[in-house]
Amino acid sequence: MRSLKTAAFSTAVLLAATACGGSGSEGGASEAPGSLTVWVMGTAQDPLQKYFDTVEQRYQEDYPDTSVEVEFVPWSDAQQSINNALAGGDAPDVLEVGNDQVANWASQGAIMDITSRTEQWGAVSDMDQAAVDYASYQESQYGVPWFTGVRTLYYRSDWLKGLDMEPPQTWDELVEVAKAIEEEQDVPGFAAPTDFTNGIASFIWSNGGEIAVQQEGEWQGRLTSAETREAIEFYAGLTTEENISPQAYVGENELVPLADMANGEVGMYIDGGWALTSMEEQAEDPAVLEDIQAAPIPGADGIAPAFVGGSVLTLFATTEHPDAAFDLLKTMSDKKGGKSYADAGGFFPAYPEMLDDETYQSDPLKAAAAEQLKHTEVLPATPNWNAADQDGKILPGAVLDIVKGKDPDTVLEEANKELTKTLNKPVA
């Protein structure tokens, strides 16, 4: 069994900054190891501890002498921890990474190419294929989806009921409902923060546009296409022309309207299920939260695609036991393990067939996200995406400039050139 290193834990979840992975070749040893280490991003919570107890029990049906040791790594420490492991420090066997980080770590040699293994595992074909594709790099598979999550449209159900209106499903309805809310409640009807790539992307995708596409190994920005330009101008116009989103959100991300939503100061905004905990912390009157509901994100003519967020399980490149480690990965992410972790963490399983389950349909907030998960897209799967978005803020910067009154054609032409240049920079 796993040894305890934190006395307060009744489960055998390790939180000490140690791991058992070591240097080794991809071929690995075939014998069962004495232990395998999993790095999980985030903080330990009781439901997650119980989940890993069950994982170990299931895993030991085939590997009775192998213990499963788990270290929780705060997301803020993830990059440094993985870099330290790459430099020869303590390393895991199985590693959780954000699905938008797969290309980055694959390009750096931190995670293992598991294509041959996933091709022989039938469960992969039942997973969300957009999420599966996002766990690949240069046509090789480096991980499998562990859980998924999406953003939805939060709204005040009591306000819409008083207006005899339904949650908007299209852009036109979004404007109509937002204006009605403002007229009745004297608060902004909708929040359109400019520093919000994932939200802006939904508007682009719903109009048939793209941020960038890959052709013959080269990335091409698509910010100047008619469909993308129209969507960006519409989003910017929610502040400048329709006036349903206030100037207070210009230059801001979704955290500002989150606090406003929790305190009855905005009628609608876009965010993920993870925002509910923050709303609970920030609400001056908890009763307000009872009237906050969710619906799929409205698009140009119907439900807009949302970025399919979530995490991927991978094998660290230096694991000495890749076969045993992949079997552990399968235990954690098969239909039983994947659903159990999603339920424990407040996410959704990576298997679309499960989204109609009563577990998700009986709760209106979860039902909205489950429906949204049927309409998803992914951001450019390249190690350079972070440089383009988090560092360069190319797309949100363009939206900000347009909101500030700069010529959209000029702004998008320059942004598109910079995006294409950044995405095609050589990967070290």
Side-chain angles (χ1 to χ4, degrees):
M1 294 298 293
R2 291 168 287 168
S3 61
L4 294 178
K5 294 200 175 181
T6 303
F9 285 170
S10 60
T11 62
V13 176
L14 298 185
L15 297 181
T18 60
C20 69
S23 61
S25 66
E26 184 173 334
S30 59
E31 71 274 9
S35 65
L36 290 174
T37 295
V38 180
W39 280 7
V40 180
M41 300 302 137
T43 57
Q45 302 171 15
D46 185 63
L48 305 186
Q49 296 175 41
K50 293 178 180 178
Y51 164 81
F52 278 107
D53 278 344
T54 301
V55 164
E56 184 179 62
Q57 292 169 7
R58 291 182 62 208
Y59 186 69
Q60 288 181 341
E61 293 175 5
D62 295 318
Y63 292 84
D65 299 322
T66 302
S67 63
V68 177
E69 302 183 349
V70 181
E71 177 184 347
F72 286 85
V73 180
W75 279 106
S76 58
D77 297 338
Q79 181 157 330
Q80 187 61 52
S81 296
I82 297 173
N83 282 334
N84 290 343
L86 270 174
D90 292 328
D93 298 287
V94 179
L95 170 69
E96 175 193 1
V97 298
N99 61 358
D100 60 346
Q101 288 292 310
V102 172
N104 175 52
W105 294 120
S107 69
Q108 295 188 48
I111 55 180
M112 187 179 295
D113 181 344
I114 57 173
T115 305
S116 62
R117 291 179 167 88
T118 56
E119 287 177 346
Q120 298 177 40
W121 187 29
V124 174
S125 63
D126 291 332
M127 295 176 175
D128 183 325
Q129 292 306 295
V132 172
D133 290 344
Y134 210 39
S136 66
Y137 175 64
Q138 294 185 340
E139 300 183 356
S140 293
Q141 201 70 34
Y142 282 87
V144 297
W146 195 15
F147 61 84
T148 60
V150 288
R151 288 165 175 80
T152 56
L153 179 76
Y154 284 106
Y155 66 93
R156 283 291 297 267
S157 61
D158 54 334
W159 291 355
L160 265 62
K161 183 177 180 180
L163 292 166
D164 195 25
M165 302 181 85
E166 296 294 326
Q169 298 182 8
T170 66
W171 289 355
D172 288 343
E173 292 176 3
L174 175 67
V175 173
E176 180 185 5
V177 174
K179 288 183 175 180
I181 289 174
E182 182 167 4
E183 182 177 349
E184 183 71 20
Q185 301 295 333
D186 196 29
V187 300
F190 180 68
T194 58
D195 189 7
F196 190 25
T197 295
N198 290 333
I200 298 166
S202 284
F203 283 76
I204 292 172
W205 291 327
S206 84
N207 203 44
E210 296 283 356
I211 296 172
V213 297
Q214 193 172 29
Q215 297 177 335
E216 299 180 355
E218 294 287 321
W219 285 96
Q220 300 293 327
R222 285 289 183 267
L223 302 185
T224 55
S225 74
E227 296 84 0
T228 301
R229 185 178 65 250
E230 181 181 29
I232 290 174
E233 290 191 65
F234 176 79
Y235 188 87
L238 296 176
T239 302
T240 60
E241 295 181 18
E242 300 294 351
N243 294 315
I244 63 172
S245 180
Q247 289 290 325
Y249 301 141
V250 175
E252 302 290 350
N253 59 29
E254 66 268 36
L255 295 179
V256 176
L258 181 154
D260 290 343
M261 191 78 196
N263 291 294
E265 297 174 4
V266 69
M268 299 180 288
Y269 97 114
I270 296 170
D271 210 339
W274 48 86
L276 291 171
T277 300
S278 295
M279 287 189 204
E280 292 171 356
E281 295 172 349
Q282 298 192 47
E284 296 178 4
D285 179 7
V288 169
L289 302 178
E290 298 177 4
D291 293 314
I292 295 177
Q293 293 297 329
I297 299 171
D301 298 306
I303 296 177
F307 169 63
V308 56
S311 281
V312 167
L313 289 178
T314 66
L315 301 188
F316 203 75
T318 60
T319 178
E320 296 179 339
H321 305 280
D323 292 335
F326 187 72
D327 285 342
L328 175 57
L329 179 153
K330 291 183 353 184
T331 303
M332 294 170 61
S333 59
D334 63 11
K335 292 181 180 179
K336 182 175 183 178
K339 184 179 186 302
S340 295
Y341 190 82
D343 290 345
F347 301 107
F348 291 87
Y351 297 90
E353 67 189 59
M354 294 182 176
L355 299 179
D356 290 328
D357 189 276
E358 181 65 20
T359 302
Y360 309 113
Q361 296 300 322
S362 59
D363 182 332
L365 291 171
K366 289 184 178 180
E371 179 61 28
Q372 183 68 70
L373 276 165
K374 298 175 183 178
H375 308 270
T376 61
E377 276 286 354
V378 295
L379 297 166
T382 164
N384 291 327
W385 176 246
N386 281 356
D389 186 51
Q390 295 182 19
D391 298 334
K393 293 189 179 296
I394 295 174
L395 175 58
V399 174
L400 178 61
D401 285 344
I402 294 170
V403 170
K404 288 183 174 180
K406 293 186 178 181
D407 177 62
D409 289 338
T410 302
V411 168
L412 293 177
E413 184 69 32
E414 293 176 353
N416 200 60
K417 289 179 181 178
E418 183 64 22
L419 179 62
T420 300
K421 178 182 176 181
T422 302
L423 296 183
N424 287 304
K425 288 182 177 179
V427 178

